[in-house]
Amino acid sequence: MKWRASRFLLAAAAVLAGMATAATVHPGQAGLHVPPPDRRGEEQTYLTFPEWFLVFSPAEYADWLQQHPPTRFPFFAHVGQFWSAYGHVVAATRGRYPFNGEYHTMICVIGASTTVEYTIKGVYDTLVGRLSQLGLPANATPEDRLAAGVERDYVDFIRVEPWYKFDFVTPLRRLWGGTPWWGPHALRKWERRYALSSEWLTKAAYGWLLGMATHEAYAVPKDTTLAVVRNLPADLPADVRQLAHRGDEYLLALPRYQGFGDAATALSARGTAFEEIAGNRGTILVSVLAPRDAPPPGYTRVLFTQPVLTKPGQQREVLQVPVDKLGALLDRYANTPGAIEHVFDY
């Protein structure tokens, strides 16, 4: 991962080393394969879900803030969803793969950090935030509107970068320098100033420390995922590169993380079929947002489902998909914007 988990990763949690790219063929095996330095264990498609949940949750919060006050967001239920999902991941990987102690340690660290953050927010907004919000519509003050915009910017940022690189100082300057000090709903204004200043100052300081520790301790992870495909289109997506080919098989470099799903969807729409991703020809995890009564494709297995707590009737289906069926799944949802939430590219 680009260490989506490094949002709350302490120096004790491990980051995989950067890897080199080169085409190779396994001894005694015909055909093209992802070279050993670019392979990642299949268990990582499962282990990366808890990390990405900490993108999905802030994204849900950012959507909620557009029309609702933060005081009604289900912080405690999201904590429960994180740990429940981790339990499913443990059950799915136990005994099937070697135990990845470093990754599990990292998940526990980010989970504990999120639990503390969401508990503080939930308790504060229940006891204090609701009082200042009493009788007011959502986003009644400039401070509320600023917070909603910053949360959206934050989510867009952490889809591609570690959270600790986000600039929390600029919103603080806008809060105190670009927002009127006085105006309607003064109690709510000053309560929000206190709450947002406390949050952003803490995250700015913690992020700076974490960034220093990560820079000193770990190599920069690679930002590509290599895949072996068939049916290469004449017009490759702009962020996809061909590295090698043998017969009708092609070795491609796709962007990693959020960009992998976008690139894979574009390739699938052009008729490309996946055979191997990051050295894996077995299972890849995909999360789909769908109505609760929508059955998943028969070639998938449901690892677990979660209700989208702020969108009644919608659920997150976490599907185990054969690598060679990934294109079929992406094509199935191609005409439903937002249905494919994430492809967990190891």
Side-chain angles (χ1 to χ4, degrees), residues 53-121:
F53 182 82
L54 299 184
V55 176
F56 306 153
S57 178
E60 192 175 340
Y61 183 51
D63 289 343
W64 175 263
L65 289 181
Q66 303 311 305
Q67 297 181 357
H68 304 87
T71 53
R72 300 292 179 178
F73 187 76
F75 290 109
F76 301 117
H78 272 236
V79 170
Q81 285 193 329
F82 175 90
W83 291 111
S84 175
Y86 179 47
H88 287 290
V89 166
V90 170
T93 56
R94 183 190 293 126
R96 291 181 57 192
Y97 308 103
F99 182 72
N100 191 329
E102 292 180 338
Y103 222 112
H104 282 283
T105 299
M106 176 268 295
I107 292 172
C108 289
V109 168
I110 64 174
S113 299
T114 301
T115 299
V116 170
E117 179 188 5
Y118 277 20
T119 298
I120 291 173
K121 282 186 172 182

Side-chain angles (χ1 to χ4, degrees), residues 212-326:
M212 293 290 291
T214 301
H215 177 76
E216 293 294 329
Y218 305 115
V220 177
K222 197 168 187 179
D223 59 1
T224 57
T225 294
L226 269 58
V228 176
V229 306
R230 292 184 186 271
N231 304 329
L232 190 73
D235 56 330
L236 282 176
D239 50 1
V240 176
R241 293 180 292 116
Q242 177 184 332
L243 301 181
H245 77 274
R246 181 183 291 269
D248 62 348
E249 295 181 322
Y250 298 85
L251 181 67
L252 304 182
L254 284 71
R256 211 169 166 189
Y257 322 122
Q258 185 68 26
F260 179 86
D262 297 336
T265 298
L267 285 169
S268 297
R270 292 166 167 83
T272 299
F274 288 90
E275 292 196 340
E276 180 175 308
I277 299 172
N280 300 288
R281 294 180 178 240
T283 299
I284 188 167
L285 217 63
V286 180
S287 61
V288 175
L289 298 177
R292 292 189 181 182
D293 57 352
Y299 51 79
T300 69
R301 289 181 296 133
V302 178
L303 180 62
F304 62 90
T305 62
Q306 295 178 326
V308 180
L309 297 171
T310 59
K311 299 177 181 178
Q314 190 175 66
Q315 70 177 4
R316 174 177 295 111
E317 298 175 345
V318 182
L319 305 178
Q320 301 170 94
V321 185
V323 165
D324 62 1
K325 294 292 186 182
L326 176 61

